[in-house]
Amino acid sequence: MTTNTATTEKTGARTDEAATLIGGARERIDALDDRIIGLIQERMAVSAVIQEARISSGGRRVNLTREMEVLGHYRDALGKPGTALAMTMLELCRGRI
Protein backbone atom coordinates (compact mmCIF):
# COMPACT_ATOMS: atom_id res chain seq x y z
CA MET A 1 0.00 0.00 0.00
CA THR A 2 1.42 3.37 -1.02
CA THR A 3 1.25 6.27 1.38
CA ASN A 4 0.43 9.80 0.32
CA THR A 5 3.48 11.94 1.23
CA ALA A 6 1.36 14.87 2.45
CA THR A 7 -0.65 12.50 4.67
CA THR A 8 2.51 10.99 6.11
CA GLU A 9 3.97 14.38 6.92
CA LYS A 10 0.75 15.58 8.53
CA THR A 11 0.10 12.48 10.66
CA GLY A 12 3.45 10.75 10.95
CA ALA A 13 1.73 7.55 9.79
CA ARG A 14 3.38 5.14 7.38
CA THR A 15 0.19 3.74 5.87
CA ASP A 16 -3.00 5.27 4.53
CA GLU A 17 -5.02 3.18 7.00
CA ALA A 18 -3.08 4.55 9.96
CA ALA A 19 -3.28 8.09 8.57
CA THR A 20 -7.07 7.78 8.30
CA LEU A 21 -7.32 6.48 11.87
CA ILE A 22 -5.08 9.27 13.16
CA GLY A 23 -7.00 11.93 11.23
CA GLY A 24 -10.30 10.80 12.72
CA ALA A 25 -8.87 10.59 16.22
CA ARG A 26 -7.39 14.07 15.91
CA GLU A 27 -10.79 15.44 14.87
CA ARG A 28 -12.26 13.91 18.02
CA ILE A 29 -9.45 15.39 20.13
CA ASP A 30 -10.06 18.82 18.59
CA ALA A 31 -13.77 18.54 19.44
CA LEU A 32 -12.94 17.46 23.00
CA ASP A 33 -10.50 20.36 23.36
CA ASP A 34 -13.23 22.77 22.26
CA ARG A 35 -15.57 21.33 24.91
CA ILE A 36 -12.86 21.50 27.59
CA ILE A 37 -12.13 25.15 26.72
CA GLY A 38 -15.86 25.93 26.90
CA LEU A 39 -16.13 24.27 30.30
CA ILE A 40 -13.13 26.17 31.63
CA GLN A 41 -14.65 29.43 30.38
CA GLU A 42 -17.90 28.50 32.14
CA ARG A 43 -15.95 27.70 35.32
CA MET A 44 -14.19 31.07 35.08
CA ALA A 45 -17.57 32.84 34.92
CA VAL A 46 -18.94 30.93 37.93
CA SER A 47 -15.74 31.60 39.86
CA ALA A 48 -16.04 35.32 39.10
CA VAL A 49 -19.56 35.33 40.62
CA ILE A 50 -18.24 33.62 43.76
CA GLN A 51 -15.29 35.99 44.06
CA GLU A 52 -17.47 39.04 43.59
CA ALA A 53 -19.89 37.84 46.30
CA ARG A 54 -17.02 37.09 48.66
CA ILE A 55 -15.38 40.49 48.10
CA SER A 56 -18.63 42.43 48.39
CA SER A 57 -19.30 40.73 51.73
CA GLY A 58 -15.90 41.84 53.02
CA GLY A 59 -14.04 38.61 52.35
CA ARG A 60 -10.95 37.86 50.32
CA ARG A 61 -11.04 37.16 46.60
CA VAL A 62 -9.32 33.77 47.00
CA ASN A 63 -10.19 31.01 49.47
CA LEU A 64 -6.98 29.01 49.89
CA THR A 65 -8.70 26.16 51.74
CA ARG A 66 -11.04 25.66 48.80
CA GLU A 67 -8.15 25.83 46.34
CA MET A 68 -6.35 23.09 48.27
CA GLU A 69 -9.48 20.93 48.01
CA VAL A 70 -9.55 21.46 44.24
CA LEU A 71 -5.84 20.64 43.93
CA GLY A 72 -6.36 17.45 45.91
CA HIS A 73 -9.33 16.44 43.78
CA TYR A 74 -7.36 16.82 40.55
CA ARG A 75 -4.30 15.09 42.01
CA ASP A 76 -6.40 12.15 43.21
CA ALA A 77 -8.11 11.81 39.82
CA LEU A 78 -5.14 12.44 37.52
CA GLY A 79 -1.98 11.92 39.55
CA LYS A 80 0.82 14.45 39.93
CA PRO A 81 0.19 16.12 36.53
CA GLY A 82 -3.37 16.77 37.73
CA THR A 83 -1.98 19.15 40.33
CA ALA A 84 -0.25 21.23 37.65
CA LEU A 85 -3.41 21.22 35.55
CA ALA A 86 -5.48 22.36 38.53
CA MET A 87 -2.99 25.13 39.33
CA THR A 88 -3.31 26.46 35.78
CA MET A 89 -7.09 26.26 35.92
CA LEU A 90 -7.19 28.02 39.29
CA GLU A 91 -4.93 30.74 37.95
CA LEU A 92 -7.31 31.26 35.02
CA CYS A 93 -10.31 31.30 37.34
CA ARG A 94 -8.92 33.85 39.77
CA GLY A 95 -9.54 36.45 37.12
CA ARG A 96 -9.11 40.14 37.56
CA ILE A 97 -12.03 41.45 39.57
Side-chain angles (χ1 to χ4, degrees):
M1 180 181 286
T2 309
T3 313
N4 180 329
T5 303
T7 303
T8 301
E9 290 176 9
K10 187 172 183 175
T11 65
R14 295 189 179 243
T15 66
D16 290 337
E17 181 180 289
T20 299
L21 178 80
I22 291 168
R26 284 183 177 171
E27 287 177 15
R28 175 109 163 105
I29 285 174
D30 290 345
L32 289 167
D33 285 344
D34 288 341
R35 288 174 47 200
I36 291 166
I37 290 166
L39 288 170
I40 290 171
Q41 290 170 330
E42 183 178 348
R43 191 188 193 289
M44 290 168 66
V46 172
S47 184
V49 169
I50 292 168
Q51 290 173 50
E52 201 166 302
R54 193 180 297 122
I55 290 168
S56 68
S57 72
R60 298 175 55 156
R61 181 170 60 96
V62 175
N63 180 327
L64 296 178
T65 301
R66 173 64 180 149
E67 287 197 356
M68 293 305 294
E69 290 173 4
V70 171
L71 290 170
H73 180 70
Y74 274 70
R75 182 190 60 246
D76 292 347
L78 302 171
K80 187 177 177 183
T83 303
L85 178 62
M87 285 296 296
T88 299
M89 186 202 48
L90 289 170
E91 183 179 346
L92 287 167
C93 290
R94 285 184 193 124
R96 290 176 174 60
I97 294 178

